[in-house]
Structure formats: C-alpha cells, structure tokens
Amino acid sequence: MTELIVMGGERVEALDGATGHVVEPASGAPMAEVATGAAPDATRAVDVAARAFEEGAWPRLSARERGRVLTKASFLVREHQERLAELEARNGGKPISAARGEIDIVANVFEYWGGAANKITGETIPIVPPGLDVTLRDPVGVCALITPWNFPAVIASWKIAPALACGNTAIVKPASLTPLTALALADILYEVGLPEGTLSVLPGPGSSTASALIADPRVAKVSFTGSTEVGTSVMQTAATNITRVSLELGGKSANVVFDDADLDVCVEKSLWSVFDNAGQDCCARSRQLVQRGVYDEYLERFAARTEAITVGQPLDEATEMGPLISSRQRQTSLDYLSIGIDEGARHVTGGDVPGGDGFFMRPALLADVDNAWRVAQEEIFGPVVCLIPFDTEDEAIRLANDSPFGLSGTIWTRDLGRAIRVAKGIRTGNLSVNSASSVHTEAPFGGFKRSGIGREMGMAAVQLYTELKNIYFSEE
C-alpha cells in the first residue's frame, strides 16, 4: 500500500503518479512506498492553502476554537504514542525508548500551543496625538514548513503547531528519508477537526518540491530546518519575493567542562549530548572542551562509557544507539574520523562498522584535538566527538566562540560566578549549565551566526508566524 500525499485533508497520488521507497536504516531494506511530489504538486498544494487562507474556516475561527483543535490533537497523539513511536523508530533508526520520548514531546508541543492560541496579543501604545494606538498580530498567510530527517515528528510539530495557532494555513515538506510521521500527524489533526485545506503534507525531493514552494509568491513564510548550505539557498530563493524566512541550521556546539565539575553527573550527560540520535543532532556537543586539571580523568571515564554504549536494533528495549540514517551519512562520519586522525588527533575508541545489514557504526572518540582543525570546525552530523583541552576561563570562551556556528552548548561548573561569566561570554543561541538539555517547548530556540535566523518554540515563535499591524484611532 502506498502512503499518499496529504492535500488539504485528502489523500491523493502525485500528479505524475510517481512513488518512492522509504528505507529502514536498521536493515537497509524498503519500509514503505510513498507518493513523491514534484513542482506541479507544490503548486497544487499552494493553490489549496491560499484558497483556505483567503476563504476557509481556519483563519476565521476564534483563537479559542483553534486552540481546542490543537489540544485535541495532543490527546490523540498520546493515545497513538506507541504506534507513532514505532513508526519513528523504524523510519529514523532511533531506539524505541527515545522515539517514545520524542512523541511525548510532540504531544506537549500541541498541548502548549493549544493553550497559547488565545494568548497571542498586541499592545496599546501611548502616543502624542489624541486617540488610541494599538497593535495586532495578524497571521502571515501560507506557510511552507520544511523539516529534516533527524527528528521528523518533533520538528514538524515545532512548526505546524505555532503556524496553525496563529491562524495560518500550512504546507509541510518533510525530508524524503523520513516522511511517515508527518503524514500521520496530518491525519490526526484532520481527525480532531482541522478544517479542510488548512494543512498539506507533500513528500518529495527538496530540489523540486521545496524549491517550488519557496519560489511561489503566494507563500508568505518559509520555515526551514536543515544544513547551513541548503539554508543559504533557501534565503536566496526567498529573496525574490521578499518571503519571510526563519532558519534553524547547523551546529558545532561546545561542552565546556571546568575542573570543579561533578564528573559523576557530567560524563554521562555529556556523552548523550553528542551521541544521542547517533550524533545526528544540530545541537550535538561534538566539541568537548575540558580543563586540563580533569582532562585525563574525564577522557578515561568518557572513553569507558563510550565503549559501553549498546548499539543495536531500534525496537530492542536495550538499545541505546541505533543506526545512522543512511549509508551516505555513515560514510561521512567515517571520513571525518579519518580526517581527524590525519590532522593529528588521538583515536581513542570507536569508529568500527559492525557486520550485517543496516547503517550501524560504533561511536568514536578523538582526543587532543586542536580547535582549528577541520574535524573541530565542520559539522559531522554523526557519532564522532572531539576532546579539546584548555587552561583558563578566557581560553574556554575563546575556543567555544571560535566556530562559524552558534546554536547550543553546555557549561559544567559548580562556581556560580564563573557560570554567569562564561554564559555571557559564549555567543550561542541556547546554553545549559550543569545540564545537557537546552531545548524546551516553552522557551525560544535558535542560533547565532551560521546556525540560523529566528527563534522557534515558546511564545517567541509567534513572531515567525504573524505580521505586526499598527492601528491609530483618532479622537478627532
């Protein structure tokens, strides 16, 4: 059975009848057949979304009514958690325990925006002329939401929920490798009462499908999560129509460990800050900056824990790390491991490829890395971590900032003053102190420098999906 395109609530074939296979990373074998859209399908999706925005019910519902639909969706996501988690685990190569957690996040996101929908407000402004000056937050219009393959359901929800809460219509273009949960989420939204035409999900190659969406002058907003290189192209295409753009792009985040860090907590959390999802995470703390006083001990503990990671089948409850998404992504990780060794890094452990099917790779640790080397400057997007020694607080800040990226990061210290100074000094969009978690449903998320533009999540996301309108009422 072929998974069809969601076109405004209706399941349809691609106009040219094209289909493609989605591959299961743990086996390398086809998992599902999916209708594959192209530029004409993108135009059709924009037709539907533009008509729904101009004439349809969703933008004209009260904010409270929109919120009720999103809240109902959160309940239904939880009801179907196990089915969605299995779909995500198999399609994305994730351990089932991690996939369950991600579907829980999806439910939380819809629940948050269900409650936030009627709290999107303007303000009154005191002005000199007699009268009243107010601002409104108007929906921006048709939104093209382009999502990546590493966290398919979670990142789709980060975009769909605020776009809909603000009264927009939307088209999701999921990654070609992982379209299945985005299609399932659209079905859930329509099941709980989303009006016809409000949301479409259009699988297909980015080179044709996404490009056509971005170039269409009726698309008012593009939200893209993916590589910095593709993000550059998105900006260039969107510029023709002055289309609003937000970008969440690459990262090379620093995990800064000071001498006074609690290593009993720090090592375990730092390990998963880079090896979670097999390192395929733009927030991955793939540069571990460690003060020399604890460098040797930290390296020994980190290496031992890396070697103990259980790599296995996604649906096995004991699995801690699954396969990479594709043979190509695994090869990229292996290539960077070789590059790091050639540059002079000490290969401590990992990097071997188990026998059998699937795109598996043992997580790899490189020590004594120079921050100027390619392996420390370029995003790998795989299970390869670099340990970099430092001496002083100022050096730690300088090394953390010596990167073209600025998305996330962590500071490990029990000195509050130092934590404050270093957090202020590091130029990155999201930081955590004594925690590996810097992404929260309720808080803004986005990057500095080549890591992107705009802030998703939390009420800050309202700015991405609304236009600010100012109205002056004269007393005269």
Side-chain angles (χ1 to χ4, degrees):
M1 180 177 175
T2 302
E3 285 279 357
L4 300 178
I5 293 165
V6 175
M7 188 65 66
E10 182 184 1
R11 287 285 194 145
V12 300
E13 294 182 350
L15 287 172
D16 63 1
T19 63
H21 283 106
V22 170
V23 170
E24 193 164 358
S27 66
M31 174 182 172
E33 187 175 29
V34 180
T36 303
D41 298 285
T43 299
R44 178 171 57 158
V46 179
D47 290 341
V48 170
R51 185 166 56 251
F53 184 73
E54 296 298 334
E55 304 171 7
W58 186 252
R60 287 152 191 85
L61 290 178
S62 71
R64 179 179 293 177
E65 290 173 304
R66 292 199 300 268
R68 284 174 179 161
V69 172
L70 297 176
T71 300
K72 288 178 183 177
S74 75
F75 294 151
L76 199 54
V77 167
R78 288 196 173 94
E79 193 175 311
H80 291 280
Q81 181 181 27
E82 195 64 22
R83 175 179 68 85
L84 293 170
E86 183 174 328
L87 199 61
E88 197 78 329
R90 291 183 61 201
N91 194 189
K94 300 171 180 293
I96 186 64
S97 57
R100 289 191 190 106
E102 290 175 24
I103 299 305
D104 191 54
I105 290 171
V106 172
N108 291 341
V109 170
F110 281 111
E111 182 179 45
Y112 177 87
W113 285 102
N118 65 351
K119 300 169 185 67
I120 298 168
T121 61
E123 57 186 354
T124 59
I125 303 171
I127 57 173
V128 173
L132 178 67
D133 195 276
V134 300
T135 62
L136 303 178
R137 284 279 177 187
D138 283 0
V140 68
V142 177
C143 299
L145 312 177
I146 305 171
T147 61
W149 48 257
N150 58 332
F151 295 100
V154 167
I155 296 178
S157 73
W158 288 358
K159 299 179 190 300
I160 294 169
L164 296 183
C166 292
N168 300 289
T169 58
I171 304 159
V172 180
K173 212 303 285 181
S176 297
L177 294 173
T178 54
L180 300 180
T181 45
L183 291 165
L185 288 178
D187 289 341
I188 284 172
L189 282 159
Y190 280 109
E191 185 175 342
V192 298
L194 191 70
E196 181 181 345
T198 307
L199 177 68
S200 296
V201 178
L202 185 61
S207 56
S208 59
T209 312
S211 295
L213 290 174
I214 298 163
D216 195 306
R218 297 169 297 169
V219 170
K221 159 74 184 178
V222 174
S223 176
F224 171 81
T225 298
S227 71
T228 299
E229 293 72 23
V230 177
T232 302
S233 176
V234 169
M235 287 188 73
Q236 291 170 339
T237 303
T240 302
N241 297 314
I242 320 296
T243 304
R244 277 66 176 147
V245 174
S246 58
L247 306 169
E248 194 267 282
L249 307 176
K252 194 73 176 180
S253 299
N255 188 70
V256 184
V257 181
F258 286 97
D259 285 348
D260 66 335
D262 181 352
L263 295 189
D264 290 338
V265 176
C266 171
V267 171
E268 182 70 14
K269 291 187 178 296
S270 297
L271 182 93
W272 293 114
S273 77
V274 64
F275 292 142
D276 181 51
N277 202 40
Q280 300 165 125
D281 183 354
C282 51
C283 288
R285 277 65 156 176
S286 50
R287 291 185 301 146
Q288 304 265 325
L289 312 181
V290 185
Q291 201 163 21
R292 289 190 193 277
V294 292
Y295 183 82
D296 290 340
E297 182 182 358
Y298 184 88
L299 172 57
E300 182 179 353
R301 290 194 187 198
F302 198 98
R305 185 63 183 90
T306 299
E307 290 170 352
I309 289 175
T310 302
V311 178
Q313 290 293 319
L315 299 185
D316 187 335
E317 297 286 352
T319 293
E320 294 180 296
M321 191 179 105
L324 280 81
I325 192 67
S326 66
S327 175
R328 176 181 178 182
Q329 199 62 33
R330 179 175 64 181
Q331 190 58 51
T332 296
S333 300
L334 293 170
D335 289 346
Y336 269 107
L337 179 59
S338 297
I339 288 168
I341 294 168
D342 290 344
E343 287 177 310
R346 175 157 55 104
H347 181 199
V348 178
T349 189
D352 49 305
V353 174
D357 297 327
F359 312 125
F360 293 92
M361 170 184 169
R362 292 289 314 175
L365 170 59
L366 294 173
D368 309 339
V369 173
D370 189 309
N371 194 66
W373 294 345
R374 283 184 61 193
V375 75
Q377 287 290 310
E378 299 175 11
E379 186 175 38
I380 299 173
F381 226 63
V384 180
V385 65
C386 298
L387 262 62
I388 302 169
F390 71 89
D391 292 301
T392 67
E393 183 179 306
D394 287 345
E395 184 185 8
I397 294 171
R398 179 183 63 78
L399 289 171
N401 288 336
D402 183 15
S403 170
F405 302 105
L407 185 57
S408 193
T410 293
I411 302 161
W412 293 95
T413 180
R414 285 179 275 197
D415 183 329
L416 178 59
R418 171 187 284 160
I420 293 170
R421 290 190 300 272
V422 176
K424 286 182 174 181
I426 295 178
R427 290 189 52 76
T428 192
N430 297 79
L431 272 170
S432 57
V433 178
N434 296 329
S435 166
S437 176
S438 59
V439 182
H440 307 281
T441 299
E442 305 81 3
F445 173 68
F448 287 18
K449 299 186 279 188
R450 290 178 62 83
S451 287
I453 298 171
R455 293 295 180 269
E456 294 188 306
M457 301 170 65
M459 292 304 288
V462 169
Q463 299 172 33
L464 304 182
Y465 297 104
T466 60
E467 293 278 22
L468 189 63
K469 178 188 289 181
N470 189 80
I471 305 172
Y472 167 61
F473 298 88
S474 173
E475 290 182 8
E476 301 174 353

